[in-house]
Amino acid sequence: MTKQVQQLDRVIIRFAGDSGDGMQLTGDRFTQETAAFGNDLSTLPNFPAEIRAPAGTLPGVSSFQLHFADHDILTPGDAPDVLVAMNPAALKANIGDLPRGADLIVNTDEFSKRNLAKVGYAADPVADGSLAEYRVHALPLTSMTVTALEGYDISKKDAERAKNMFALGLLSWLYDRPTEGTVGFLERKFAKKPEIMKANIAAFQAGWSYGETTEAFSVQYEVKPAEHEAGLYRNITGNAALSLGIVAAGVQSGLPVYLGSYPITPASDILHELSKHKRFGVRTFQAEDEIAAVGAALGASFGGSLGVTTTSGPGIALKSETIGLAVATELPLLVIDVQRAGPSTGMPTKTEQADLMQAMYGRNGEAPVPVIAPQSPSDCFDAALEAARIAVTYRTPVILLSDGYLANGSEPWKLPDVAALPKIEPNFAAPSEEGFEPFRRDPETLARPWAVPGTAGLEHRIGGLEKADVTGNISYDPANHDTMVRLRQAKVDGIANDIAPLAVDDPSGRARVLVMGWGGTYGAISAAVRRVRAEGRDVAQAHLRHLNPFPANLPEVLRSYDKVIVPEINLGQLSMLLRGRLLIDVIGYNQVRGLPFKSEELQDVIQEVIDSE
């Protein structure tokens, strides 16, 4: 059958089902093939915290959204053009995001009276006409999969589990995705279970064939590859990019990397990834708790390694005493906080930006720590390098604030030219005839010497008790304590002279409103600004990477505009810092839903502020 091929410039697809339906795997495979095809893309995995949440319930719904296009895109998209709902719970949890006229593919096998009742459907929405505003494709995906696998030596349960591969094959046909990568992936994944492997490949191919032969889909869609800058690309998540950035920091500094970590969502993938890179001098230690993890990392830094610890907000609370010890001992330490929704356990698999104040002030005493934040999954690589550079150069712990959205989301990443990566110079102390003074500071950075233990002539005291300036002897002198507190603060403040000025995107030069964000809000803010400019309005944009210290030109930038909007996924933490430090009354826009901003909502906020001028 000859089918019409329709060109599209972009598509947003959301796969949704039970947490045991393999939606994350399905979305990831579709993403990998889309990346290989050459589209620009952005993803949003969204799943329960439980390993196996209650089947058929709203809390148990797992989804994966992918936005891919033939041009540069910035977000996973506000609303899906296609929703694949594997059961009634998936339909009910996601139907509110589906725009009129969107495609809805429903697995009717799961729409039993019992499953409908679980989520509050009095009648079958597929049959009662309540979905008339959508293009509904009601397909018995489970039974079609079981039928396709009748000749394989597997159980009916295993055959039913392959329904996600049938759906993947169908969507791969519908949007003309490559298939070789998925077949190869299944061959590797189930190499020790050949019948399961063959069955999953058969289910995937059956889904493709169904799309090719059925009359249910009369149109096939094509989204051409995007035009990228020449180079070698790979699809990468934020956690993977952070991991590679840490490896690169070790190589560029010549230091062995030591990761002390305790598993915690959504940071655990960094531990998993770094454990694969022993050949680059990376050692990973899974500690018994968060306190032991950061203690081991700080001990490694004392021993001359690049000490790293990874966690999320609850873990930062437990690590705070040792981070303060790193401030007092003035040793480099990279602390990665992949933020999640809190407080306490909160919503472990949902995103938030609410750890900024904790990173700034969550320690006893005057304990200043540099804080930086990446803006996208691929930017996590550069942010990790920058955090390591500051930690090593200034002999200080540095907190890197990623978040769950960046950690699990993915986008294309152009592999950097290794020769162009910045060098990081440890500049270890060397013995001298004058004797070692462990707190004699570099006149430019105010960093103290980093002495490797066991080096003759560099013996010195270390610990949390206050040290005398220059000599490092334990001191309770009031004037000395005041001096040391001010020196540690001045050292962090001085980093502002070693970072790039804040860049402002104001193409017309006529904007009176500036939108400024930090961290993972970059994509949504940028997409919203694009929309506003497309309406013929002037608006400027800036995005902070360095949150402590602020870039030196930040006050000048903010005072150049009549109004400054600060969108944050918290209740206004950066806004509070800007008001308190710079005495500038910014306009906060805040949501804490465990989800990233939608560009459309930010567009409305920006336009409202412009209209009020």
Side-chain angles (χ1 to χ4, degrees):
M1 182 197 314
T2 302
K3 298 196 178 185
Q4 177 187 353
V5 177
Q6 182 178 336
Q7 293 286 337
L8 299 174
D9 64 347
R10 67 179 188 89
V11 176
I12 302 169
I13 298 176
R14 185 181 298 177
F15 299 93
D18 270 333
S19 58
D21 282 342
M23 295 296 95
Q24 301 305 315
L25 174 62
T26 304
D28 181 68
R29 285 314 317 159
F30 197 96
T31 298
Q32 296 302 328
E33 299 296 2
T34 296
F37 188 73
N39 296 119
D40 196 19
L41 63 88
S42 180
T43 68
L44 177 61
N46 191 2
F47 45 88
E50 294 81 9
I51 294 174
R52 183 58 63 90
T57 66
L58 293 175
V61 172
S62 174
S63 68
F64 190 106
Q65 183 162 305
L66 165 68
H67 183 190
F68 61 103
D70 65 3
H71 57 276
D72 173 43
I73 57 173
L74 297 160
T75 75
D78 289 354
D81 303 302
V82 183
L83 171 63
V84 179
M86 301 299 280
N87 62 13
L91 177 65
K92 190 159 192 176
N94 293 281
I95 194 66
D97 292 334
L98 206 61
R100 181 184 295 271
D103 282 298
L104 176 58
I105 299 174
V106 180
N107 179 19
T108 55
D109 283 329
E110 296 297 321
F111 279 64
S112 64
K113 287 184 178 180
R114 183 171 181 270
N115 287 343
L116 290 166
K118 274 186 182 180
V119 295
Y121 278 126
D124 186 348
V126 179
D128 68 7
S130 60
L131 303 175
E133 62 184 295
Y134 311 110
R135 293 188 294 186
V136 179
H137 306 277
L139 304 176
L141 294 176
T142 305
S143 56
M144 292 169 73
T145 304
V146 171
T147 300
L149 302 183
E150 284 179 348
Y152 292 85
D153 186 20
I154 60 172
S155 67
K156 183 181 178 182
K157 186 176 182 180
D158 284 334
E160 290 175 345
R161 283 177 177 168
K163 62 182 179 291
N164 65 324
M165 287 296 107
F166 189 99
L168 177 60
L170 173 59
L171 269 293
S172 297
W173 172 84
L174 191 59
Y175 290 97
D176 195 26
R177 301 292 92 185
T179 61
E180 296 82 2
T182 295
V183 172
F185 168 81
L186 293 171
E187 289 174 343
R188 295 188 299 273
K189 181 177 177 63
F190 297 112
K192 295 181 180 179
K193 299 178 179 179
E195 283 301 310
I196 297 292
M197 175 190 71
K198 293 175 185 176
N200 275 273
I201 292 173
F204 175 68
Q205 293 171 337
W208 176 281
S209 298
Y210 178 78
E212 183 76 27
T213 58
T214 185
E215 295 182 1
F217 296 94
S218 58
V219 179
Q220 189 178 23
Y221 300 99
E222 185 177 272
V223 182
K224 292 183 178 180
E227 291 186 7
H228 293 289
E229 181 183 348
L232 181 61
Y233 288 80
R234 61 163 287 186
N235 188 54
I236 199 164
T237 65
N239 275 349
L242 261 175
S243 302
L244 295 182
I246 293 168
V247 174
V251 173
Q252 295 304 105
S253 63
L255 298 172
V257 172
Y258 184 95
L259 174 69
S261 183
Y262 181 75
I264 184 171
T265 301
S268 300
D269 287 342
I270 303 173
L271 169 61
H272 303 158
E273 180 64 30
L274 284 177
S275 67
K276 303 173 185 176
H277 298 291
K278 295 178 182 177
R279 66 187 183 281
F280 290 107
V282 177
R283 287 172 288 175
T284 54
F285 168 55
Q286 181 174 318
E288 64 268 29
D289 57 39
E290 296 280 9
I291 299 171
V294 68
L298 182 58
S301 288
F302 174 59
S305 294
L306 177 58
V308 184
T309 191
T310 55
T311 189
S312 190
I316 289 290
L318 293 168
K319 296 178 190 292
S320 62
E321 182 180 4
T322 304
I323 297 172
L325 177 60
V327 172
T329 56
E330 300 191 49
L331 287 167
L333 178 67
L334 182 52
V335 181
I336 295 173
D337 176 3
V338 186
Q339 301 166 95
R340 70 190 204 186
S344 187
T345 308
M347 299 191 296
T349 59
K350 311 302 179 184
T351 195
E352 205 161 272
Q353 287 185 295
D355 294 353
L356 177 55
M357 286 300 188
Q358 183 183 31
M360 291 287 296
Y361 302 117
R363 295 163 294 284
N364 65 294
E366 295 288 346
V369 169
V371 180
I372 72 172
Q375 67 184 29
S376 69
S378 62
D379 187 51
C380 288
F381 176 86
D382 296 311
L385 266 175
E386 172 69 351
R389 181 189 73 84
I390 291 173
V392 170
T393 303
Y394 291 88
R395 314 292 197 245
T396 178
V398 176
I399 295 180
L400 188 154
L401 291 177
S402 180
D403 59 58
Y405 164 60
L406 296 181
N408 296 316
S410 66
E411 66 180 0
W413 174 51
K414 182 184 177 185
L415 273 62
D417 178 3
V418 174
L421 294 178
K423 285 289 184 184
I424 301 173
E425 298 295 344
N427 292 323
F428 287 117
S432 68
E433 294 181 0
E434 289 76 21
F436 181 51
E437 296 173 320
F439 282 86
R440 170 77 63 185
R441 298 178 182 276
D442 181 280
E444 291 186 8
T445 65
L446 296 182
R448 78 171 187 87
W450 190 5
V452 177
T455 305
L458 298 184
E459 298 85 355
H460 64 287
R461 294 179 178 86
I462 201 75
L465 290 174
E466 187 63 279
K467 304 297 185 296
D469 187 21
V470 181
T471 67
N473 296 326
I474 294 173
S475 172
Y476 288 92
D477 178 70
N480 176 78
H481 179 57
D482 186 87
T483 295
M484 294 298 278
V485 167
R486 293 179 186 277
L487 280 170
R488 289 189 288 261
Q489 183 66 57
K491 179 176 69 171
V492 173
D493 292 343
I495 296 170
N497 301 318
D498 190 23
I499 60 179
L502 179 65
V504 180
D505 176 26
D506 185 1
S508 72
R510 297 187 301 269
R512 303 316 311 149
V513 173
L514 171 71
V515 187
M516 190 175 72
W518 67 276
T521 59
Y522 173 78
I525 292 173
S526 299
V529 166
R530 280 185 184 178
R531 288 178 175 222
V532 172
R533 289 174 182 168
E535 296 289 330
R537 301 186 176 202
D538 296 312
V539 62
Q541 179 189 357
H543 208 77
L544 282 171
R545 162 169 285 184
H546 296 87
L547 296 159
N548 191 40
F550 287 138
N553 68 328
L554 178 61
E556 176 189 350
V557 167
L558 297 185
R559 294 189 176 101
S560 299
Y561 294 89
D562 295 339
K563 295 183 178 179
V564 179
I565 308 170
V566 182
E568 298 180 80
I569 307 178
N570 57 45
L571 294 183
Q573 297 187 17
L574 177 59
S575 295
M576 187 182 298
L577 288 174
L578 295 173
R579 293 183 185 118
R581 289 188 170 190
L582 306 180
L583 302 181
I584 295 174
D585 191 18
V586 300
I587 302 169
Y589 179 73
N590 308 98
Q591 295 285 351
V592 279
R593 300 169 297 186
L595 295 169
F597 284 123
K598 293 183 177 181
S599 56
E600 185 177 10
E601 67 180 302
L602 293 183
Q603 176 190 5
D604 292 341
V605 171
I606 296 168
Q607 289 177 334
E608 183 179 339
V609 172
I610 292 174
D611 289 341
S612 68
E613 279 281 291

